[in-house]
Amino acid sequence: MRTSRARQANGAGDTGNGGDGAGGGRQWARADATRQALLTAALEVFADRGYADAGIAEIVERSGISVGSLYHHYGGKAGLYVALWEDLSDEQEAAAAQAVSAARKDGESDPIALFTAGARAYLLVCWERREAARLFLGGEGPSGSSLMRRSRAQHWIAQNTKLLGGSTGGAPAGRPEQVLSLVLTTVIGEAGREIATAENETEAAEIIEEVCRILIRLAR
């Protein structure tokens, strides 16, 4: 689980005295460890009890970090949820982008093949990070989380529309391309829910491959 976004939000890389001495490095290492412990504990508690019934006291107890540090880094329970969601979403997006880039480097130019490579990588993260994926795919969360998820979905649809259309900054996609991207992105999202709840890795892999075959059929 990464804490890069949290680090950026708190000014990572600045030692406070314009230098990059060992003291500053140790300070940021401790801060990263603190954030990691809080996020790990929060995910466990959210998974066990659901967001609504999760308590700050239990998160603090499991993490071994003070309540003051929790509020300092995340502002409360909602901040922990958002940080976990952003971490998972960023990892999914990065995995998809890396897969598409690798396919291009291997000489692949077919937009549907590139899209499928990205989808497979995204879905694999849904399995690898299944505990977090189950939490967010369940839809429960703090006020405003539904809007947050819709905004990210719209971003994904826009990115997929460009990829499927082979867009490199030319004319905007037409309505058919936009609708196709919406349908395919929705399929991927629903598939992620099934993969996150798969019984084992073999079942998850089978679902991923079947979803990719369906995506190819729909796209063509």
Side-chain angles (χ1 to χ4, degrees), residues 39-172:
L39 290 176
T40 299
L43 180 57
E44 291 174 357
V45 176
F46 291 157
D48 288 347
R49 307 196 182 284
Y51 176 80
D53 293 332
I56 290 292
E58 186 172 1
I59 294 172
V60 167
E61 181 180 358
R62 290 202 193 192
S63 68
I65 305 299
S66 71
V67 67
S69 290
L70 186 155
Y71 280 103
H72 170 72
H73 289 292
Y74 295 107
K77 187 169 75 168
L80 285 164
Y81 179 97
V82 171
L84 285 166
W85 181 82
E86 288 178 336
D87 184 77
L88 176 63
S89 297
D90 288 349
E91 185 170 341
Q92 290 168 328
E93 186 167 354
Q98 289 167 5
V100 171
S101 177
R104 283 195 173 117
K105 288 180 180 178
D106 288 341
E108 184 60 70
S109 59
D110 176 37
I112 297 174
L114 293 171
F115 173 83
T116 305
R120 181 180 284 106
Y122 171 95
L123 293 172
L124 183 58
V125 175
C126 289
W127 169 251
E128 293 172 343
R129 298 285 307 280
R130 52 195 174 277
E131 190 173 48
R134 285 195 295 266
L135 172 66
F136 302 120
L137 291 169
E140 185 185 3
S143 175
S145 59
S146 295
L147 179 61
M148 181 176 67
R149 284 191 288 268
R150 283 198 300 272
S151 177
R152 180 58 70 109
Q154 290 169 352
H155 167 75
W156 267 103
I157 292 168
Q159 292 296 103
N160 288 339
T161 300
K162 291 179 182 179
L163 181 59
L164 286 165
S167 175
T168 56

Side-chain angles (χ1 to χ4, degrees), residues 112 115-117 119-120 123 184 187-188 191 202-220:
I112 297 174
F115 173 83
T116 305
R120 181 180 284 106
L123 293 172
L184 296 181
V187 169
I188 294 170
T202 298
E203 182 181 347
E206 290 173 352
I207 295 172
I208 290 172
E209 292 309 311
E210 184 58 32
V211 169
C212 288
R213 286 191 288 268
I214 291 171
L215 291 172
I216 292 170
R217 290 200 298 268
L218 289 173
R220 296 195 187 281

